Amino acid sequence: MLSPRGAFTIFGGVVLIAFGFAATQMHIAFTTYHALGGGKQINIPEELPFFLLLMGCIMILSTVIGIPIFRLSADPRSVVVTRKIDREKVFAGDYVFVEVTMKNTGLGGIDLLEVYDAYPQIFELALGENWVLTKIEGGQEVSFAYVLRALKRGKYLLGPSKVIVKDRLGLFFEEEIKEGNETELIVYPPYEDIAKMMVVAKKRLMGRAFGIHKTRAKGIGSDFFAIREYVTGDEFRRIDWKSFARKGNPMVRDYEDEKSLTSVIFLDCSGSMGGGPPANSKLEYAIRSAVLLTHLAFERSDPVGLCIFSDKVRAWVKPGKGQRKFYEILEALAIVEPGGGANIEGAMEFVLSQVRKAGFFMVISDLEHANIEKLTKSLKQAVARNNSLTVLAPFGPFFEVKVGTLSPVEKALAEAVAEEYFGERAKVIKELQKAEIETISVGPDDILSVVIDTWIKQKRVSGA
Amino acid sequence: MMTSRGKFAVHTLRLISLFSFLLLLSYLLINIELDAFDPGAFKNVGIFLIAIVGEILINLSDVFAGLGGEQTGDVSRSVIRTTIYYVLLGGMDLSDYNITAEQYITGDSFPSPKIFASSLGSMVMLVLLPIALLSGLGFLRDCNVRLSVICFFSLTALLAIAVAKEKIELEYDTTSESIGELITSPLFFLGLILLFYLEISFQASYAYTILEPNLKRSERIRQHIQRIKEFSEAEEIGPLKEEKIEEATETAKRRSIESWILIREQIEERRVVKPRESVRVNIRLKHYLDNLLRNNPDAQKLLSAETARPKSGRILLFIIPNFIIRLSIVIFLSWMVLRPIVFLRVFNVPDPLLDSVESLQPETTFLVLIPLVLAIVIFSGFVGTLQERVHKTVLKRVREEEKAKEEVEKETTMVFTGPGQELPTIETDGNS
């Protein structure tokens, strides 16, 4: 309650009083000594003790009289702090406008109010300040705001706020941390990859860049395909009357057949996937890949499902399409944290029990500590159910080591470790290839392009 | 323009504190006899200290000689003293200490401790005066309370030494019971000016603390927003040139430390972050800010915390009456403490005790000071308890109001916009 300044003032007062009394005692002692014939009289003026006493009393009293006034007016509990954010869900790299409002519910004004609004360290303060120093009257409301940049996906809490009230002279203070006033914010994985794609699409380069073309097969869709002559059995409602009038023969309109490819993404979030720098770990790239694949599929109105697993299924989003499903998937991806082992077989079994329609399964896993036999068996089971399957296997050393930063010795060691990893990986790939399961080892540089290629390939193969 | 207007209260209080400081200083310099600031005091203190060191050396040599079974005689002591006198003191005149060189060398007489104490007092005064002056003027620059406290204690110590040396006449009647006489007595009046200075410096520091950071913040955020608004990709591409860094450093040198730190950080950031990445982030921020300012007209005010900035004139209006009341209370309570007889009479303390010489002793102040301080502290506790009760009631009411408000908002949302939540939109920065 007593601030260092207040304590110093009181201490100063006590010291001055002590000096005052010391001067009095010295005066008495010298006078007595002189009276007893002990040498020359040393005179200590009578005013000195009184002056020191006066100053000491003044300092103590001027501090103490502030206590009741402070207690009456300054109570941090009377300050209600609320926080408002412009959106509760953002993409990594996006900005959030945080508005903090303080209301003094007390009757008296607070001379000096300091409010510090905490935010997770992973966020970056882009604009404004997350604190305020102000004076607030009883019943008054004041606000301030700041802009944060969300750097990493996840579920975060903004807050709590710390409220410090001080008196005008800075002699006293009270502080309180407003526990429970936190605001939840979900940060989705970054959409930069999607944004890049969208820009390219806008520039009409999509076809050339990625080779995405519609697989045209006539059928009963809604997109026009061609006009042909009528043959027996064609529906009357498909006759094109204008062409009939022009040519003299009955002509019918054909439409493109609309097939959809149901994709399910298996995302391994086991502990080993967390290897590498936090922002560029295998898991982060796997999540970015999942976001990209989801977006690609939704652009073509194909349903996508998501199964996040470690040693058990951590999240399951049923296949579906539309914007809401997209955000459902993003939300599931936002809160994934690496941990536990990897049970691909269990996840596959679970998904096969949930999804009846055949589709495309993309497993994103580093395949570390995988039981090859069990894994092959379960993946074969998926293929047997007429699903096409691709395993995207992020290769650990590519994510975990930045060669440029290593010394020659470290570089040699890293190469040795990578060699060992590579041997193991080759064995797993060989086994899976025997079972005709496509497995692609990927690094941070090619994972996204491999995702796009794989998906396009699947679209072509499935004729969707 | 806004900055100087916003600092009106700070400037006014600075002026008042300057006035009180100058008043105090001039009062002291006029009333303290000038010979109290004798520059020769340094020499006298030096002589005494050297003499003391010499005596310690002599005694040590006695001890060591004794350990070796030898005795040092008066001659050897005289030799040591002679060496000290000629080598360390340079054979100077010791008349200021009322002794001659012969008396010192032969050990017949030693520099008087009383003269040493007096010289030490003068020396301390000579040191304290510039400290008080510099700290008092330094406080005016950035209202740093530490400087005003240093100034206050320096002046108090200076005054106390002057009183002890009897170089200033401060009449003080210990028998008078009148509050008027107490206030008008030079000793109390001087104490009051000292308190006035300390209080006003605290108040100025308060005004500075509450206004200055807010003003700087407003200005900083305004510039920041302006920079973001004016940001264009073409200007930022490519590494920052050395001359630009030098130019920024030069600008920073002319400004305050804060701006220096800000500019330095900017330079460092551009050096560390890849230019392309920084451009991309800035463009994104620019787009976000454009949207924000378009959709929320108060955003800029909120960001610069202008809405939370107290008004300068209003602060002054609060400070001055409060200051007068505080000062009056302190004077009254000081009178009660320094003239305890009046207070004790109310409690029917026996007359022989009140009329005794003891009642005029400084110790009697404790009879009132301690109970008074305790009473204030207990009263504060009582006020705190009351405040807590009021707070609980008010908080309950506020929560009920908020709950009711939330329910109304919930109903409104369901009727007009449906139960769905707002989803973020994907934007492209046009730069990827």
Side-chain angles (χ1 to χ4, degrees), chain A residues 178-194:
Chain A
K178 301 280 178 188
E179 299 283 0
N181 82 334
E182 293 91 343
T183 310
E184 194 182 272
L185 177 69
I186 292 177
V187 181
Y188 294 145
Y191 66 81
E192 282 161 26
D193 312 315
I194 300 170

Side-chain angles (χ1 to χ4, degrees), chain B residues 229 286-299:
Chain B
K229 277 182 183 172
K286 183 179 169 20
H287 287 176
Y288 176 78
L289 193 67
D290 286 345
N291 277 332
L292 181 71
L293 296 177
R294 204 170 32 245
N295 299 328
N296 185 355
D298 294 331

Side-chain angles (χ1 to χ4, degrees), chain B residues 56-170:
Chain B
I56 291 169
L57 285 175
I58 288 166
N59 285 313
L60 278 176
S61 69
D62 276 356
V63 170
F64 286 120
L67 287 173
E70 294 171 18
Q71 280 188 334
T72 46
D74 289 342
V75 178
S76 57
R77 288 191 193 110
S78 298
V79 168
I80 294 172
R81 285 199 190 103
T82 310
T83 315
I84 288 167
Y85 178 69
Y86 284 107
V87 175
L88 293 179
L89 300 179
M92 63 169 63
D93 184 16
L94 297 179
S95 58
D96 281 349
Y97 274 100
N98 298 331
I99 55 168
T100 58
E102 287 76 25
Q103 280 174 324
Y104 171 67
I105 290 166
T106 53
D108 287 346
S109 191
F110 191 75
S112 160
K114 197 179 173 184
I115 292 170
F116 165 70
S118 175
S119 298
L120 189 66
S122 295
M123 193 183 89
V124 173
M125 281 173 78
L126 278 166
V127 172
L128 286 176
L129 189 67
I131 289 176
L133 199 68
L134 290 174
S135 53
L137 294 174
F139 168 78
L140 298 171
R141 203 175 70 89
D142 59 357
C143 293
N144 185 343
V145 170
R146 279 184 191 174
L147 290 176
S148 77
V149 169
I150 290 172
C151 178
F152 170 81
F153 277 107
S154 304
L155 289 174
T156 306
L158 198 133
L159 203 59
I161 295 169
V163 171
K165 278 170 66 79
E166 294 180 80
K167 295 291 179 188
I168 186 168
E169 274 189 33
L170 296 171

Side-chain angles (χ1 to χ4, degrees), chain A residues 113-222:
Chain A
L113 172 72
E114 282 179 50
V115 177
Y116 296 90
D117 198 39
Y119 61 83
Q121 280 196 335
I122 196 80
F123 282 69
E124 187 184 86
L125 188 67
L127 199 57
E129 311 275 3
N130 65 325
W131 57 269
V132 76
L133 218 151
T134 187
K135 172 180 167 53
I136 188 167
E137 299 302 327
Q140 198 193 342
E141 214 175 76
V142 286
S143 305
F144 72 97
Y146 56 95
V147 175
L148 288 177
R149 181 162 179 246
L151 294 176
K152 194 174 174 280
R153 60 165 190 90
K155 195 187 254 183
Y156 300 99
L157 287 177
L158 299 182
S161 311
K162 187 179 182 184
V163 174
I164 304 171
V165 292
K166 287 179 182 171
D167 71 320
R168 201 171 303 161
L169 304 186
L171 302 172
F172 315 101
F173 77 101
E174 287 276 2
E175 62 178 46
E176 193 191 29
I177 293 172
K178 301 280 178 188
E179 299 283 0
N181 82 334
E182 293 91 343
T183 310
E184 194 182 272
L185 177 69
I186 292 177
V187 181
Y188 294 145
Y191 66 81
E192 282 161 26
D193 312 315
I194 300 170
K196 276 178 194 167
M197 264 185 60
M198 284 168 77
V199 171
V200 176
K202 274 180 192 167
K203 290 175 183 170
R204 296 175 175 274
L205 285 170
M206 186 69 113
R208 229 179 330 140
F210 302 118
I212 292 178
H213 297 285
K214 280 188 175 182
T215 310
R216 285 150 74 98
K218 65 174 181 164
I220 50 164
S222 56

Side-chain angles (χ1 to χ4, degrees), chain A residues 77 86 111 129 131 134 327, chain B residues 206 217 220 288 308 391 424:
Chain A
R77 288 167 303 180
D86 62 344
D111 286 330
E129 311 275 3
W131 57 269
T134 187
Y327 286 107
Chain B
Y206 163 71
R217 176 191 189 148
R220 195 169 57 238
Y288 176 78
H391 165 71

Side-chain angles (χ1 to χ4, degrees), chain A residues 5 8-9 12 16-17 21 24-25 41 43 45 47-55 57-68 71-73 75 77-78 80 82 86-87 89-97 99 105 107 111-112 126-129 131-135 137 142-147 149 168-169 171 188 191-192 194-196 198-199 202-203 323-324 326-327, chain B residues 114 145 149 152-153 156 159-160 163-164 166 170 172 174 187-188 191 194-195 199 202-203 205-206 209-210 213-214 217 220-221 224-225 228 280-281 284-285 288-289 292 296 299 302-303 305 307-308 310 314-315 318-319 322 326 329-330 333-334 337-338 360 362-363 365-366 369 372-373 376-377 379-380 383-384 387-388 390-391 394-395 398 402 421 423-428 432:
Chain A
R5 194 187 293 179
F8 182 78
T9 317
L16 286 174
I17 289 177
F21 282 121
T24 313
Q25 296 310 316
Q41 166 74 25
N43 188 33
E47 290 84 11
L48 183 64
F50 276 102
F51 174 71
L52 294 170
L53 211 61
L54 166 74
M55 293 314 295
C57 288
I58 280 179
M59 284 181 78
I60 290 174
L61 290 172
S62 66
T63 308
V64 169
I65 57 161
I67 304 176
R71 295 288 287 175
L72 194 67
S73 60
D75 187 353
R77 288 167 303 180
S78 65
V80 178
T82 48
D86 62 344
R87 34 194 170 163
K89 292 162 185 179
V90 293
F91 286 97
D94 272 357
Y95 296 92
V96 191
F97 182 73
E99 185 181 336
T105 58
L107 301 172
D111 286 330
L112 191 55
L127 199 57
E129 311 275 3
W131 57 269
V132 76
L133 218 151
T134 187
K135 172 180 167 53
E137 299 302 327
V142 286
S143 305
F144 72 97
Y146 56 95
V147 175
R149 181 162 179 246
R168 201 171 303 161
L169 304 186
L171 302 172
Y188 294 145
Y191 66 81
E192 282 161 26
I194 300 170
K196 276 178 194 167
M198 284 168 77
V199 171
K202 274 180 192 167
K203 290 175 183 170
Q323 206 191 26
R324 194 154 294 280
F326 183 52
Y327 286 107
Chain B
K114 197 179 173 184
V145 170
V149 169
F152 170 81
F153 277 107
T156 306
L159 203 59
V163 171
E166 294 180 80
L170 296 171
Y172 183 70
T174 50
L187 188 84
F188 192 87
L194 273 166
L195 174 72
E199 285 264 339
F202 278 10
Q203 301 279 10
S205 167
Y206 163 71
T209 309
I210 206 161
N214 281 317
R217 176 191 189 148
R220 195 169 57 238
I221 303 291
H224 198 170
I225 290 174
I228 294 168
R280 206 176 53 74
V281 168
R284 206 160 161 180
L285 180 60
Y288 176 78
L289 193 67
L292 181 71
N296 185 355
L302 285 165
L303 284 169
T307 44
R314 205 171 157 77
I315 283 187
F318 271 98
I319 284 178
N322 182 279
R326 265 183 68 85
I329 295 173
V330 172
L333 292 180
S334 304
V337 171
L338 295 169
L360 298 174
E363 287 88 338
T365 51
F366 272 148
L369 181 67
L372 191 67
V373 169
I376 293 171
V377 171
F379 176 67
S380 306
V383 169
Q387 177 79 353
E388 201 169 324
V390 172
H391 165 71
V394 173
L395 205 66
V398 169
E402 274 176 5
Q421 55 185 343
L423 296 168
T425 49
I426 297 174
E427 295 162 1
T428 53
S432 303

